[in-house]
Amino acid sequence: LTEAARRMAVLSEDLESQRLRLQRRRRRRVDSEGEPLLDLGFSLEDQAIVDKLAQDHQDGLAAIRRAAQESEEDDSKTGSEQQLYDAWLELENDLRTVQSDVAAQAQGAALVDLGVLVGEASAVDDSASRQGIAG
């Protein structure tokens, strides 16, 4: 259980770091137009980080379940397993919030990138038309 509690603390800190990172990026995007392809790259990186956090969360829940089963088998259940399990479930809500934020930012970045690419393609087509090149 000590290991599960430690892992939960690490996961909680990592989630908070990711949440702050997303907030900073959102502010940067609002303050300036930013670089669309860079924003998309950050979104992909964020998704990979959040996927790892989700896996760590699942691993932690599994460890708590194993510890609870072991304590039931040797009649040493103290209730701390349930408290720790409840805390992990609460952390899952935080994880879902961060996952939603990452998904929303990735969707926004992809739409901006699509707009930029369409705009660039239109500019190329316009340029080609002016030069008499078939496109």
Side-chain angles (χ1 to χ4, degrees), residues 46-64:
D46 290 338
Q47 186 61 54
I49 291 168
V50 170
D51 288 347
K52 182 184 179 321
L53 293 174
Q55 183 60 52
D56 291 348
H57 181 264
Q58 290 302 314
D59 293 346
L61 278 176
I64 292 169

PDB file of all heavy atoms in Angstrom, residues 46-64:
ATOM      1  N   ASP A  46       1.308  16.134 -25.853  1.00  0.00           N
ATOM      2  CA  ASP A  46       0.420  16.114 -24.693  1.00  0.00           C
ATOM      3  C   ASP A  46      -0.390  14.830 -24.648  1.00  0.00           C
ATOM      4  O   ASP A  46      -0.575  14.237 -23.590  1.00  0.00           O
ATOM      5  CB  ASP A  46      -0.536  17.316 -24.717  1.00  0.00           C
ATOM      6  CG  ASP A  46       0.168  18.632 -24.461  1.00  0.00           C
ATOM      7  OD1 ASP A  46       1.268  18.623 -23.878  1.00  0.00           O
ATOM      8  OD2 ASP A  46      -0.392  19.687 -24.845  1.00  0.00           O
ATOM      9  N   GLN A  47      -0.886  14.408 -25.810  1.00  0.00           N
ATOM     10  CA  GLN A  47      -1.687  13.187 -25.854  1.00  0.00           C
ATOM     11  C   GLN A  47      -0.860  11.981 -25.409  1.00  0.00           C
ATOM     12  O   GLN A  47      -1.351  11.133 -24.670  1.00  0.00           O
ATOM     13  CB  GLN A  47      -2.244  12.959 -27.262  1.00  0.00           C
ATOM     14  CG  GLN A  47      -3.207  11.800 -27.344  1.00  0.00           C
ATOM     15  CD  GLN A  47      -4.429  12.002 -26.470  1.00  0.00           C
ATOM     16  OE1 GLN A  47      -5.096  13.019 -26.581  1.00  0.00           O
ATOM     17  NE2 GLN A  47      -4.727  11.054 -25.606  1.00  0.00           N
ATOM     18  N   ALA A  48       0.389  11.910 -25.836  1.00  0.00           N
ATOM     19  CA  ALA A  48       1.258  10.802 -25.425  1.00  0.00           C
ATOM     20  C   ALA A  48       1.486  10.825 -23.905  1.00  0.00           C
ATOM     21  O   ALA A  48       1.469   9.775 -23.257  1.00  0.00           O
ATOM     22  CB  ALA A  48       2.588  10.880 -26.173  1.00  0.00           C
ATOM     23  N   ILE A  49       1.670  12.025 -23.353  1.00  0.00           N
ATOM     24  CA  ILE A  49       1.878  12.146 -21.911  1.00  0.00           C
ATOM     25  C   ILE A  49       0.636  11.702 -21.153  1.00  0.00           C
ATOM     26  O   ILE A  49       0.710  10.938 -20.184  1.00  0.00           O
ATOM     27  CB  ILE A  49       2.264  13.597 -21.540  1.00  0.00           C
ATOM     28  CG1 ILE A  49       3.664  13.917 -22.063  1.00  0.00           C
ATOM     29  CG2 ILE A  49       2.188  13.820 -20.025  1.00  0.00           C
ATOM     30  CD1 ILE A  49       4.031  15.394 -21.995  1.00  0.00           C
ATOM     31  N   VAL A  50      -0.518  12.161 -21.601  1.00  0.00           N
ATOM     32  CA  VAL A  50      -1.766  11.815 -20.924  1.00  0.00           C
ATOM     33  C   VAL A  50      -2.060  10.322 -21.059  1.00  0.00           C
ATOM     34  O   VAL A  50      -2.547   9.697 -20.117  1.00  0.00           O
ATOM     35  CB  VAL A  50      -2.931  12.686 -21.440  1.00  0.00           C
ATOM     36  CG1 VAL A  50      -4.269  12.185 -20.932  1.00  0.00           C
ATOM     37  CG2 VAL A  50      -2.732  14.131 -21.018  1.00  0.00           C
ATOM     38  N   ASP A  51      -1.734   9.738 -22.199  1.00  0.00           N
ATOM     39  CA  ASP A  51      -1.908   8.289 -22.361  1.00  0.00           C
ATOM     40  C   ASP A  51      -1.057   7.527 -21.351  1.00  0.00           C
ATOM     41  O   ASP A  51      -1.508   6.537 -20.758  1.00  0.00           O
ATOM     42  CB  ASP A  51      -1.555   7.854 -23.777  1.00  0.00           C
ATOM     43  CG  ASP A  51      -2.579   8.289 -24.814  1.00  0.00           C
ATOM     44  OD1 ASP A  51      -3.691   8.721 -24.431  1.00  0.00           O
ATOM     45  OD2 ASP A  51      -2.260   8.222 -26.020  1.00  0.00           O
ATOM     46  N   LYS A  52       0.164   7.995 -21.135  1.00  0.00           N
ATOM     47  CA  LYS A  52       1.035   7.343 -20.147  1.00  0.00           C
ATOM     48  C   LYS A  52       0.469   7.526 -18.738  1.00  0.00           C
ATOM     49  O   LYS A  52       0.465   6.592 -17.928  1.00  0.00           O
ATOM     50  CB  LYS A  52       2.446   7.892 -20.217  1.00  0.00           C
ATOM     51  CG  LYS A  52       3.375   7.176 -19.222  1.00  0.00           C
ATOM     52  CD  LYS A  52       4.750   7.737 -19.176  1.00  0.00           C
ATOM     53  CE  LYS A  52       5.653   7.047 -18.195  1.00  0.00           C
ATOM     54  NZ  LYS A  52       5.080   6.636 -16.935  1.00  0.00           N
ATOM     55  N   LEU A  53      -0.034   8.713 -18.429  1.00  0.00           N
ATOM     56  CA  LEU A  53      -0.634   8.950 -17.114  1.00  0.00           C
ATOM     57  C   LEU A  53      -1.848   8.038 -16.903  1.00  0.00           C
ATOM     58  O   LEU A  53      -2.048   7.508 -15.804  1.00  0.00           O
ATOM     59  CB  LEU A  53      -1.030  10.417 -16.954  1.00  0.00           C
ATOM     60  CG  LEU A  53       0.113  11.428 -16.895  1.00  0.00           C
ATOM     61  CD1 LEU A  53      -0.439  12.853 -16.878  1.00  0.00           C
ATOM     62  CD2 LEU A  53       0.997  11.190 -15.678  1.00  0.00           C
ATOM     63  N   ALA A  54      -2.641   7.854 -17.943  1.00  0.00           N
ATOM     64  CA  ALA A  54      -3.802   6.965 -17.847  1.00  0.00           C
ATOM     65  C   ALA A  54      -3.358   5.529 -17.580  1.00  0.00           C
ATOM     66  O   ALA A  54      -3.966   4.821 -16.766  1.00  0.00           O
ATOM     67  CB  ALA A  54      -4.637   7.050 -19.120  1.00  0.00           C
ATOM     68  N   GLN A  55      -2.286   5.107 -18.240  1.00  0.00           N
ATOM     69  CA  GLN A  55      -1.763   3.755 -17.997  1.00  0.00           C
ATOM     70  C   GLN A  55      -1.237   3.630 -16.573  1.00  0.00           C
ATOM     71  O   GLN A  55      -1.479   2.633 -15.895  1.00  0.00           O
ATOM     72  CB  GLN A  55      -0.670   3.410 -19.009  1.00  0.00           C
ATOM     73  CG  GLN A  55      -0.142   1.994 -18.869  1.00  0.00           C
ATOM     74  CD  GLN A  55      -1.225   0.958 -19.069  1.00  0.00           C
ATOM     75  OE1 GLN A  55      -1.944   0.977 -20.062  1.00  0.00           O
ATOM     76  NE2 GLN A  55      -1.368   0.038 -18.127  1.00  0.00           N
ATOM     77  N   ASP A  56      -0.531   4.655 -16.102  1.00  0.00           N
ATOM     78  CA  ASP A  56      -0.035   4.642 -14.720  1.00  0.00           C
ATOM     79  C   ASP A  56      -1.194   4.563 -13.737  1.00  0.00           C
ATOM     80  O   ASP A  56      -1.112   3.874 -12.710  1.00  0.00           O
ATOM     81  CB  ASP A  56       0.792   5.905 -14.428  1.00  0.00           C
ATOM     82  CG  ASP A  56       2.114   5.931 -15.172  1.00  0.00           C
ATOM     83  OD1 ASP A  56       2.512   4.888 -15.735  1.00  0.00           O
ATOM     84  OD2 ASP A  56       2.747   7.010 -15.196  1.00  0.00           O
ATOM     85  N   HIS A  57      -2.273   5.256 -14.050  1.00  0.00           N
ATOM     86  CA  HIS A  57      -3.456   5.227 -13.182  1.00  0.00           C
ATOM     87  C   HIS A  57      -4.041   3.821 -13.123  1.00  0.00           C
ATOM     88  O   HIS A  57      -4.348   3.309 -12.041  1.00  0.00           O
ATOM     89  CB  HIS A  57      -4.501   6.224 -13.691  1.00  0.00           C
ATOM     90  CG  HIS A  57      -5.722   6.265 -12.844  1.00  0.00           C
ATOM     91  ND1 HIS A  57      -6.841   5.541 -13.152  1.00  0.00           N
ATOM     92  CD2 HIS A  57      -5.985   6.919 -11.684  1.00  0.00           C
ATOM     93  CE1 HIS A  57      -7.753   5.744 -12.222  1.00  0.00           C
ATOM     94  NE2 HIS A  57      -7.257   6.577 -11.323  1.00  0.00           N
ATOM     95  N   GLN A  58      -4.180   3.176 -14.275  1.00  0.00           N
ATOM     96  CA  GLN A  58      -4.701   1.812 -14.313  1.00  0.00           C
ATOM     97  C   GLN A  58      -3.794   0.843 -13.561  1.00  0.00           C
ATOM     98  O   GLN A  58      -4.269  -0.035 -12.837  1.00  0.00           O
ATOM     99  CB  GLN A  58      -4.893   1.353 -15.766  1.00  0.00           C
ATOM    100  CG  GLN A  58      -6.026   2.053 -16.469  1.00  0.00           C
ATOM    101  CD  GLN A  58      -7.350   1.873 -15.747  1.00  0.00           C
ATOM    102  OE1 GLN A  58      -7.704   0.762 -15.332  1.00  0.00           O
ATOM    103  NE2 GLN A  58      -8.078   2.958 -15.576  1.00  0.00           N
ATOM    104  N   ASP A  59      -2.486   1.019 -13.721  1.00  0.00           N
ATOM    105  CA  ASP A  59      -1.530   0.168 -13.003  1.00  0.00           C
ATOM    106  C   ASP A  59      -1.666   0.353 -11.498  1.00  0.00           C
ATOM    107  O   ASP A  59      -1.595  -0.613 -10.729  1.00  0.00           O
ATOM    108  CB  ASP A  59      -0.096   0.479 -13.434  1.00  0.00           C
ATOM    109  CG  ASP A  59       0.184   0.091 -14.878  1.00  0.00           C
ATOM    110  OD1 ASP A  59      -0.628  -0.647 -15.484  1.00  0.00           O
ATOM    111  OD2 ASP A  59       1.214   0.558 -15.415  1.00  0.00           O
ATOM    112  N   GLY A  60      -1.858   1.588 -11.056  1.00  0.00           N
ATOM    113  CA  GLY A  60      -2.020   1.873  -9.630  1.00  0.00           C
ATOM    114  C   GLY A  60      -3.283   1.252  -9.071  1.00  0.00           C
ATOM    115  O   GLY A  60      -3.276   0.684  -7.966  1.00  0.00           O
ATOM    116  N   LEU A  61      -4.379   1.351  -9.811  1.00  0.00           N
ATOM    117  CA  LEU A  61      -5.621   0.722  -9.357  1.00  0.00           C
ATOM    118  C   LEU A  61      -5.457  -0.794  -9.235  1.00  0.00           C
ATOM    119  O   LEU A  61      -5.938  -1.404  -8.278  1.00  0.00           O
ATOM    120  CB  LEU A  61      -6.764   1.044 -10.327  1.00  0.00           C
ATOM    121  CG  LEU A  61      -7.450   2.383 -10.164  1.00  0.00           C
ATOM    122  CD1 LEU A  61      -8.492   2.580 -11.262  1.00  0.00           C
ATOM    123  CD2 LEU A  61      -8.097   2.519  -8.803  1.00  0.00           C
ATOM    124  N   ALA A  62      -4.774  -1.377 -10.199  1.00  0.00           N
ATOM    125  CA  ALA A  62      -4.544  -2.823 -10.159  1.00  0.00           C
ATOM    126  C   ALA A  62      -3.703  -3.205  -8.937  1.00  0.00           C
ATOM    127  O   ALA A  62      -3.983  -4.206  -8.267  1.00  0.00           O
ATOM    128  CB  ALA A  62      -3.860  -3.285 -11.441  1.00  0.00           C
ATOM    129  N   ALA A  63      -2.707  -2.392  -8.616  1.00  0.00           N
ATOM    130  CA  ALA A  63      -1.859  -2.673  -7.447  1.00  0.00           C
ATOM    131  C   ALA A  63      -2.672  -2.591  -6.153  1.00  0.00           C
ATOM    132  O   ALA A  63      -2.487  -3.410  -5.242  1.00  0.00           O
ATOM    133  CB  ALA A  63      -0.690  -1.691  -7.403  1.00  0.00           C
ATOM    134  N   ILE A  64      -3.574  -1.629  -6.080  1.00  0.00           N
ATOM    135  CA  ILE A  64      -4.401  -1.501  -4.877  1.00  0.00           C
ATOM    136  C   ILE A  64      -5.344  -2.693  -4.756  1.00  0.00           C
ATOM    137  O   ILE A  64      -5.547  -3.228  -3.665  1.00  0.00           O
ATOM    138  CB  ILE A  64      -5.194  -0.177  -4.901  1.00  0.00           C
ATOM    139  CG1 ILE A  64      -4.219   0.990  -4.748  1.00  0.00           C
ATOM    140  CG2 ILE A  64      -6.237  -0.138  -3.799  1.00  0.00           C
ATOM    141  CD1 ILE A  64      -4.847   2.334  -5.019  1.00  0.00           C
TER     142      ILE A  64
END
